[in-house]
Amino acid sequence: MAAYDDLKQELIKYSEEIGIDKIGFTSADVFSELKARLEIQQEKGYQSGFEKGLIEERTEPVRLLPGAESIVSIALAYPSRMKNPPKSKKGERRGMFARASWGEDYHLVLKEKLNLLATFLSERVEGFSAKIMVDTGELSDRAVAERAGVGFSGKNCAIITPEFGSYVYLGEMIINIPFTPDEPIDDGCGECTKCIDACPTGALVGPGQLNAQQCMAFLTQTKGYMPEEHRDKLGNIIYGYDTCQVVCPYNKGIDSHQHEEFEPDPDLVKPPLIEFLSISNREFKEKFGYMAGSWRGKKPLQRNAILALAHYKEKSAVPALIDVLTQDPRPVLRGTAGWALGKIGTEEAFQALQKAVEKEEDVQALEEINKGLQFFDNNFM
Ligand code: SF4
């Protein structure tokens, strides 16, 4: 029996008491396979740009914590369904935040749990040190969870646990205690390719290989224009994208509700789209600031809300979209509203676009407004 095995068992028991759904342990060795994969990703330009640190820091735990010996990986399950979701109907269209943004920001919830684990260990081991990470740290939460046996890495790049499917949040803590590592679990995808087939942009370029630049979840978080070829694919989603998880057989029937913090407020995760276009900074912060999906501010979400209204061809949104087109100080929103008005295509929209084309000074916004006008030439004239 290794020196710290009793402590490991105590920590596992404590993790259950504080509401951690799964815990696994791995060494602090270099993530060699990941390193090779990241180098290819970098070469091919598949990164999102949200990654933190150099490839060495992202794959060599000892660079992040001197004396690193092992890594504790944790998973908390989140719900896949909400009770009594409000209906999105004509005249009252609603957007949708993806599941990973339901409830309280998971970064904070998981960090709190990891801090409790760190305190537990620091009270028992002299000279204990730790580095905690959730999503935004250098390490890949998924690579750690995979090696620690929390789940296997699916072709959709998500970690799939046998108990909770891939509807889990992940976090980890590098520590200077040499806990015995757990065994990884077997890959369970087999011949299935449902996620690859369902991805609307072809972002899953191969099993477990993602071109983040094409991933809809990533694109909902960018601040510029949504690439035109992807605008129609968003549907009513204003943040994130779940399709590659929804289609996965391992998620069938999985709906975990053991954490009050992750329970969605249906009115907020399905917000009325028209109102969302004119929400003030203060109201946005008050209402949505606690959600993971608010981290990039309201602009990308409002851009997506405009696209969702275009997707519905929601005529009752035309006055609100004209307000954005003519009054919003942000060119990306004016341009996107111009494009959307063209898609919706009422006479009022046409008049507004004709006026806007005379006044718009931003080159890209003007281009989008002209695209809006072209829809009339193609469809309505
Ligand atoms: Fe694996 Fe199929 Fe799930 Fe994709 S959908 S992650 S291929 S099991």
Side-chain angles (χ1 to χ4, degrees):
M1 195 164 167
Y4 290 100
D5 279 359
D6 284 344
L7 183 60
K8 181 177 167 183
Q9 290 313 315
E10 283 173 42
L11 189 70
I12 293 171
K13 192 163 169 285
Y14 178 62
S15 74
E16 286 164 12
E17 285 165 20
I18 61 171
I20 291 172
D21 296 315
K22 267 205 106 168
I23 187 165
F25 298 78
T26 184
S27 73
D29 294 349
V30 176
F31 288 86
S32 322
E33 254 180 63
L34 176 68
K35 200 170 189 178
R37 222 170 43 228
L38 291 179
E39 277 160 0
I40 294 172
Q41 265 189 344
Q42 200 171 51
E43 263 171 46
K44 293 196 170 174
Y46 286 173
Q47 293 179 317
S48 69
F50 296 153
E51 297 87 357
K52 185 177 177 190
L54 302 168
I55 289 184
E56 287 74 22
E57 288 159 334
R58 294 167 63 197
T59 53
E60 298 177 30
V62 77
R63 286 180 186 256
L64 305 172
L65 182 82
E69 290 280 357
S70 58
I71 312 174
V72 181
S73 167
I74 65 164
L76 265 72
Y78 58 85
S80 69
R81 293 193 198 113
M82 70 180 115
K83 289 181 200 105
N84 307 319
K87 286 225 161 58
S88 176
K89 43 188 181 195
K90 206 171 167 190
E92 292 169 49
R93 297 295 186 186
R94 286 175 179 266
M96 182 81 179
F97 281 83
R99 291 167 179 80
S101 185
W102 290 5
E104 212 176 296
D105 185 343
Y106 68 93
H107 299 84
L108 306 177
V109 179
L110 268 77
K111 274 187 185 159
E112 207 178 293
K113 304 280 186 204
L114 287 162
N115 273 319
L116 288 172
L117 294 183
T119 305
F120 183 92
L121 291 173
S122 70
E123 285 166 356
R124 286 156 180 83
V125 179
E126 221 187 296
F128 170 75
S129 65
K131 185 169 168 84
I132 287 171
M133 276 166 274
V134 179
D135 179 43
T136 54
E138 291 87 346
L139 287 188
S140 156
D141 300 334
R142 291 169 187 165
V144 174
E146 183 184 16
R147 204 166 77 181
V150 167
F152 70 88
S153 185
K155 288 180 188 169
N156 61 3
C157 299
I159 287 296
I160 301 177
T161 66
E163 304 86 346
F164 314 107
S166 63
Y167 295 135
V168 285
Y169 296 125
L170 303 168
E172 64 273 334
M173 172 167 76
I174 313 173
I175 56 175
N176 61 349
I177 303 174
F179 281 130
T180 307
D182 293 327
E183 286 296 314
I185 61 175
D186 289 344
D187 183 332
C189 284
E191 297 300 306
C192 175
T193 55
K194 280 182 195 272
C195 52
I196 296 174
D197 303 340
C199 177
T201 59
L204 289 167
V205 287
Q209 277 182 297
L210 180 75
N211 176 359
Q213 294 294 327
Q214 293 294 317
C215 173
M216 290 302 284
F218 163 74
L219 290 169
T220 63
Q221 299 171 52
T222 57
K223 290 191 172 174
Y225 287 97
M226 173 70 65
E228 201 175 351
E229 69 271 25
H230 298 333
R231 290 179 192 173
D232 286 333
K233 295 166 186 158
L234 258 187
N236 71 338
I237 300 292
I238 60 171
Y239 178 83
Y241 205 75
D242 283 341
T243 298
C244 63
Q245 295 200 84
V246 172
V247 298
C248 179
Y250 284 96
N251 286 335
K252 202 161 181 241
I254 300 284
D255 185 24
S256 308
H257 289 271
Q258 56 265 45
H259 303 287
E260 189 54 39
E261 300 97 314
F262 301 146
E263 286 305 319
D265 176 336
D267 230 29
L268 291 184
V269 300
K270 283 191 82 179
L273 287 166
I274 295 176
E275 287 166 35
F276 199 75
L277 299 185
S278 57
I279 191 168
S280 69
N281 286 339
R282 194 175 161 176
E283 197 189 349
F284 177 75
K285 215 171 160 199
E286 275 169 15
K287 279 188 166 173
F288 298 94
Y290 78 108
M291 290 164 63
S294 71
W295 79 284
R296 294 280 277 171
K298 65 179 186 175
K299 183 179 158 190
L301 305 174
Q302 286 179 315
R303 177 204 61 187
N304 301 338
I306 294 171
L307 297 175
L309 288 163
H311 158 78
Y312 284 125
K313 296 206 179 353
E314 180 55 52
K315 291 193 170 58
S316 71
V318 166
L321 288 170
I322 292 175
D323 284 348
V324 176
L325 174 74
T326 55
Q327 289 165 32
D328 201 288
R330 298 159 296 180
V332 169
L333 294 202
R334 294 198 302 274
T336 306
W339 183 88
L341 283 163
K343 276 267 164 186
I344 297 171
T346 64
E347 178 58 31
E348 195 187 358
F350 181 62
Q351 303 288 344
L353 286 172
Q354 278 195 317
K355 278 189 206 153
V357 101
E358 301 296 325
K359 289 197 177 149
E360 181 58 62
E361 287 178 357
D362 181 89
V363 177
Q364 265 187 301
L366 188 59
E367 208 178 292
E368 294 295 333
I369 293 166
N370 273 317
K371 284 183 199 164
L373 277 169
Q374 271 164 26
F375 290 131
F376 286 89
D377 292 345
N378 298 341
N379 301 329
F380 305 107
M381 295 293 155

